[in-house]
Amino acid sequence: MAMEANLQTKQVKTANLAKKFRWTVVIWLLIGGIINYLDRANLSIAAPQMMKDLGLTATDIGLLGTVFSWSYALMQLPAGWLIDRFGTKKVYTLALIWWSGATMLTGAVSKMGTFIFARVLLGVGEAPCFPTMAKITSYWFPKKERGLATGIWDSSSKWGPAIAPPLLVFIMVTFGWRALFYITGVLGIIFAIGFYVFYKNPDQSRKLTKQELDYIQSDGAGSEQSIQTSKIKWRELFKYRSVWGMILGFFCTIWIWNIFLVFLPLFLTNVHGVTLKELGIYAGIPWVGGIFGNIFGGYLTKKMVDKEMASPIKAKRIAISVSAICAAIVVCAVPFVESLAMTIALLTLALCFISAMTGSAWALAGDIAPPSMVASVGSIQNFGGYFGGAFSPVIAGLIVDSTGSYSLAFISGGVIAGCAALCYWFIVNKPIEN
């Protein structure tokens, strides 16, 4: 009897270990997302030196952020369709190579016009990244785990900026600001080759056990579905109330997100007198809060579903709405504190709540959309966020140049972030039926 019990215990442990390979896929997505955001964060880190060397203004830096966001947003619509039509592996690999080349081009130019061109190329290349991850998650994970899985890979958008200040400031001080773009560009191309060799869909992977595949397929996942199999046409997605709620809600989220991404280092430098060497530490701390918010927010949605407190869709709507209200309060409080320590604490808390919003929003795409159209719905949501949010860097730059203060930029951004709660709670309420 004892031997049988020990054998059963070993079998249970083996079974649990066998059901872990899907999380290896998440790690690959996490690394790709970090590289993606290192390429975005380069501009904010290099901005002070670029302004000094090339005579650029805060409005110029804001314009470069806006140009990226517009091209990134506009390409979301065809990117989602391309992913659903031709598959995640091919589109993601080509996108990685494209945006890595655009990153290296940014380091090679000196005129404002060519900087704008390079940022446009970067936006086009990066557009498929997160819709691809959302679609991969939808067929590698059952619905109850998608919030946590998404929270992990979406935390890459915070790991990138968190790693960027200490790493890229060191590179910039040692080799100059142009080296930031060259090194991260080469890193992206190396990763693209590795991903193409490693990645296979669940039903084609030899490293995935039958037991884990059965577990994944138990909740409708397991295989990649093409948009050609859907009874809903792509343009008909815009007829659904939930899709418009996601568009408007993500607009409110990305508005404040872009302000943090573009102006956080400049805010600390100009308002609190943080030096270039100190910037490598202080500008990275708030993004650690973002990493925690992403992962913990996804964990909470999983727990709500496990304990049958809410459906997968409702759990994510709750997480987004509560986080949006908390983010609004904290962001609006930032201009009213004077000490650097308190400012860093509020910025960290704000990014924690904002990140919980973005992670749950991306996971929500896998619950709202039909399996064959997850990338399309995710990219449409992202289109709304970045097309509207593209205005925030240039408007924030104009506010700073005209008033000499960041106060109005943070207060207005906080109010807009709070409006995301209204969109996701009252408009996004049921999935699209195929």
Side-chain angles (χ1 to χ4, degrees):
M1 293 292 291
M3 291 181 64
E4 291 180 1
N6 290 335
L7 180 60
Q8 290 177 351
T9 302
K10 289 180 180 180
Q11 289 175 342
V12 170
K13 290 182 178 179
T14 302
N16 290 335
L17 289 172
K19 294 169 61 175
K20 300 296 183 182
F21 182 73
R22 62 191 181 281
W23 298 103
T24 304
V25 176
V26 172
I27 299 302
W28 276 86
L29 299 181
L30 172 65
I31 296 172
I34 290 174
I35 294 172
N36 181 284
Y37 262 83
L38 281 175
D39 292 336
R40 299 191 201 188
N42 275 340
L43 178 64
S44 64
I45 297 298
Q49 199 62 41
M50 291 171 66
M51 293 169 70
K52 180 180 178 181
D53 292 351
L54 305 176
L56 303 179
T57 65
T59 301
D60 291 331
I61 298 298
L63 178 60
L64 291 177
T66 295
V67 165
F68 165 81
S69 292
W70 275 338
S71 60
Y72 180 81
L74 289 173
M75 280 303 297
Q76 288 299 308
L77 301 180
W81 182 87
L82 287 169
I83 295 163
D84 284 331
R85 173 63 179 83
F86 296 103
T88 52
K89 183 173 183 175
K90 292 179 181 178
V91 177
Y92 188 46
T93 303
L94 290 173
L96 267 161
I97 295 172
W98 179 294
W99 92 59
S100 299
T103 300
M104 289 188 286
L105 178 62
T106 306
V109 300
S110 298
K111 302 293 184 181
M112 189 62 184
T114 47
F115 274 125
I116 291 175
F117 177 69
R119 296 297 288 184
V120 168
L121 292 180
L122 182 67
V124 171
E126 290 202 350
C129 181
F130 284 81
T132 300
M133 295 179 180
K135 181 153 181 124
I136 289 175
T137 303
S138 72
Y139 51 80
W140 268 95
F141 290 87
K143 290 181 180 179
K144 68 176 183 178
E145 291 185 347
R146 290 176 191 172
L148 178 57
T150 302
I152 293 173
W153 60 251
D154 189 54
S155 71
S156 63
S157 59
K158 294 81 191 176
W159 277 108
I163 294 171
L167 175 63
L168 300 185
V169 166
F170 170 77
I171 295 173
M172 184 166 63
V173 170
T174 307
F175 302 106
W177 62 266
R178 295 184 185 276
L180 308 184
F181 301 98
Y182 297 143
I183 292 174
T184 53
V186 171
L187 182 64
I189 292 175
I190 294 172
F191 179 81
I193 297 170
F195 177 83
Y196 188 82
V197 172
F198 162 81
Y199 183 77
K200 289 180 176 63
N201 291 334
D203 53 355
Q204 300 170 342
S205 176
R206 296 180 180 178
K207 296 182 180 180
L208 191 63
T209 64
K210 183 180 183 303
Q211 184 182 34
E212 186 173 7
L213 180 60
D214 290 343
Y215 175 75
I216 292 171
Q217 291 176 333
S218 65
D219 199 11
S223 61
E224 182 172 9
Q225 297 187 34
S226 171
I227 197 170
Q228 293 172 300
T229 64
S230 177
K231 296 179 181 179
I232 301 173
K233 294 182 179 179
W234 184 88
R235 63 178 180 273
E236 293 175 348
L237 291 173
F238 291 93
K239 295 181 180 179
Y240 291 89
R241 173 187 176 95
S242 291
V243 172
W244 281 102
M246 294 169 73
I247 291 173
L248 296 173
F250 217 55
F251 159 79
C252 298
T253 306
I254 298 302
W255 184 279
I256 186 61
W257 171 257
N258 276 353
I259 292 176
F260 273 79
L261 188 64
V262 175
F263 284 103
L264 178 58
L266 285 174
F267 171 70
L268 294 176
T269 301
N270 296 340
V271 176
H272 292 279
V274 174
T275 65
L276 183 60
K277 291 184 178 180
E278 293 173 336
L279 189 65
I281 299 174
Y282 292 125
I285 293 174
W287 299 103
V288 176
I291 295 167
F292 176 82
N294 251 141
I295 298 174
F296 189 67
Y299 174 78
L300 287 180
T301 61
K302 181 179 182 299
K303 282 299 179 183
M304 280 190 275
V305 177
D306 285 343
K307 295 182 179 297
E308 298 182 351
M309 298 170 59
S311 66
I313 291 178
K314 189 173 182 180
K316 296 174 182 68
R317 290 169 58 222
I318 292 172
I320 295 171
S321 301
V322 173
S323 297
I325 295 170
C326 294
I329 295 171
V330 175
V331 171
C332 289
V334 169
F336 298 99
V337 297
E338 295 183 358
S339 72
L340 177 60
M342 191 62 185
T343 298
I344 294 294
L346 287 179
L347 293 174
T348 302
L349 196 58
L351 276 171
C352 177
F353 291 125
I354 295 169
S355 300
M357 294 165 64
T358 61
S360 294
W362 274 111
L364 193 60
D367 295 339
I368 293 293
S372 60
M373 307 183 83
V374 172
S376 294
V377 171
S379 64
I380 289 171
Q381 175 181 240
N382 210 25
F383 162 77
Y386 276 89
F387 185 76
F391 291 96
S392 65
V394 71
I395 290 177
L398 289 170
I399 290 173
V400 173
D401 285 338
S402 60
T403 67
S405 171
Y406 286 83
S407 297
L408 183 57
F410 277 106
I411 294 171
S412 60
V415 172
I416 292 172
C419 292
L422 302 176
C423 300
Y424 280 102
W425 187 252
F426 292 106
I427 305 177
V428 183
N429 48 28
K430 61 182 180 179
I432 298 170
E433 295 182 0
N434 195 345

